[in-house]
Amino acid sequence: MDPSSYWNPLLETLPREKLQDLQLKKFQRIFKWAYENSTFYRQLYSDAGIEPGDIKTFDDIHKVPKIEKSMMRNVQGPGKDNYPYGDILCVSKDAVCSYRQTSGTTGQPVYQADTWQDWEWGIECYSHALWAQTYRPTDRMLLPFGYNIFVAFWAAHYAAEKIGLEVIPGGVLNTEARILKMQELESNAMAATVSYVLNMGRVARDKMGIDPAQDLKVEKITVAGEPGGSIPATRKRMEELWGAKVYDQCGSTEIGHWGWECHHQAGLHVNEAFFLFEIEDLETGEIITEPGKKGRLVATSLDRMAQPCIRFDAKDIIQWNDEPCECGRTFRRLDGGIIGRCDDITKVKGVLWAPSAVEEVVRGFDQLSDEYQIILSKKGDADQIHLKVELMPEYESQEDAIGKALLAKLRLQTNLNYILEFQQYGDLPRFEGKGKRFQDLRHQH
């Protein structure tokens, strides 16, 4: 069977009116399902005075109460009804075939339940991404991650198999063993976090004497789990290091795999056949429909039935790009992918600031390594930003000049001053999963 027949490609080119009609019908269905089968959702909607019959138009969707991660945590876990998933679950527990959980980096993990149908739906979502990024049955993909209870690249594995790729599970292999296996089997593709793609390439080149761009056969890489995949300076580093095309992909445990770059690398397409995305103004909460205006993502998974995700405040900052893509898909795109997190965007000395702005500047300097750390602190009543970076060994004699240029560029880009500290190459932490490079310690003073 032609792998493209696993899904209906016409969904990706529907006119906007028909696409919105499909989304409205799917939203009405998932809203009614949750209202009738989840104590959590029924109570939430009853308290708001809204029921399934009230959702008649697209604008009615905006009246539905939002949920957020803390609400999901509050109904789950030990001592709660219907343990471990809580009253958000819409099916009997014996219908659940797959358990995943969030990473817990922002608090108690959220437990995610999926039926077999839900899991197949998740794989379908990821299949759209891989096909759009030119993955085909002729490709051999290494997946260099530890398979565990986090969703990570599980769906990438099964989606790759679904569209016919040969998949090499990296599993418990260490970084060096993964590189050697990739070399041995002439793997031409892989999927990993941004941090690990950079780290893996540096290990190959600096520790093993293997030049990823010359000695390996990798032609395309899909990255997810961190915002760096859509940051031009970070993408440039990965592509030059590996001699491969790098494509961004986005998803989360609660929402699913919702967006991807096509082979034109012109911004993340939102898979609008399976998800409804709304962008809320950061201050007023009004729905943003025009392009180029930043707001917070409110996401609905339109086909996930066991544990529905309806108007979920993802706390990601995004903005629309309404220009048509050369690929011909009518799914809307996001400018710059995930621009930042509401949790991370903060005011420093009265200026609205995001760590991603620093990443773009730091990784634009070829003289600096891939790693950096940002620490916000206070001295008296004044905010301070401490930035730790590493010089590449061959540029150590140019520390003063590079430091001045870096601080000047940061000042220009962010309108803020930084306390810069150079570290020895290799001293800053390296990451296999999501990188943790930002700390706000101001509340400790």
Side-chain angles (χ1 to χ4, degrees), residues 268-289:
L268 288 167
H269 288 274
V270 175
N271 191 337
E272 294 185 283
F274 296 147
F275 300 89
L276 173 65
F277 267 31
E278 304 164 81
I279 304 179
E280 285 192 342
D281 186 276
L282 294 172
E283 295 181 1
T284 68
E286 294 181 356
I287 300 299
I288 296 172
T289 56

Side-chain angles (χ1 to χ4, degrees), residues 85 98-101 110-114 253-254 304 307:
Y85 303 110
S98 176
Y99 170 87
R100 298 288 183 270
Q101 68 178 50
V110 170
Y111 307 139
Q112 179 63 45
D114 283 318
T253 304
E254 305 95 329
R304 203 174 197 178
Q307 191 168 306

Side-chain angles (χ1 to χ4, degrees), residues 11 33 47 49 70 166 207 209 216 260 273 278 329 335:
L11 288 175
W33 169 261
D47 289 347
S70 62
E166 181 180 348
K207 293 185 178 181
L216 300 178
W260 31 261
E278 304 164 81
R329 292 176 175 85
D335 268 336

Side-chain angles (χ1 to χ4, degrees), residues 38-246:
S38 164
T39 304
F40 167 83
Y41 276 114
R42 185 164 56 253
Q43 186 65 54
L44 178 68
Y45 299 147
S46 296
D47 289 347
I50 191 167
E51 57 184 31
D54 297 326
I55 311 299
K56 296 182 175 67
T57 69
F58 212 81
D59 287 340
D60 291 333
I61 293 172
H62 309 322
K63 303 172 186 176
V64 174
K66 297 190 295 291
I67 64 169
E68 58 181 41
K69 189 171 289 189
S70 62
M71 298 167 69
M72 301 173 81
R73 290 192 189 108
N74 287 341
V75 299
Q76 292 187 335
K80 304 294 175 62
D81 292 341
N82 207 25
Y83 175 80
Y85 303 110
D87 291 332
I88 198 169
L89 196 66
C90 285
V91 298
S92 62
K93 284 187 285 187
D94 60 7
V96 175
C97 77
S98 176
Y99 170 87
R100 298 288 183 270
Q101 68 178 50
T102 59
S103 62
T105 53
T106 59
Q108 175 188 316
V110 170
Y111 307 139
Q112 179 63 45
D114 283 318
T115 64
W116 183 252
Q117 175 184 326
D118 292 330
W119 187 237
E120 285 288 309
W121 166 83
I123 296 167
E124 183 83 350
C125 293
Y126 218 118
S127 295
H128 278 254
L130 294 180
W131 192 262
Q133 293 166 358
T134 74
Y135 290 91
R136 296 295 185 268
T138 51
D139 293 320
R140 178 178 290 141
M141 173 184 275
L142 178 86
L143 288 172
F145 73 96
Y147 290 66
N148 55 39
I149 56 178
F150 306 138
V151 68
F153 290 89
W154 276 99
H157 179 123
Y158 290 109
E161 289 184 340
K162 182 171 185 177
I163 64 176
L165 276 71
E166 181 180 348
V167 179
I168 307 166
V172 298
L173 299 177
N174 63 23
T175 298
E176 289 86 349
R178 290 166 177 168
I179 292 165
L180 291 174
K181 187 58 64 177
M182 184 178 291
Q183 186 177 48
E184 173 193 348
L185 298 179
E186 298 186 345
S187 168
N188 74 320
M190 70 172 176
T193 64
V194 171
S195 292
Y196 194 54
V197 168
L198 290 168
N199 184 42
M200 195 175 182
R202 300 300 184 196
V203 169
R205 192 187 65 185
D206 300 341
K207 293 185 178 181
M208 304 174 68
I210 295 173
D211 183 345
Q214 298 296 324
D215 302 330
L216 300 178
K217 304 291 186 181
V218 178
E219 300 170 351
K220 45 201 165 189
I221 301 170
T222 292
V223 294
E226 297 175 295
S230 292
I231 294 176
T234 301
R235 184 204 299 275
K236 180 173 180 286
R237 285 192 172 221
M238 291 186 287
E239 292 193 335
E240 290 181 349
L241 180 60
W242 285 89
K245 285 286 189 182
V246 173

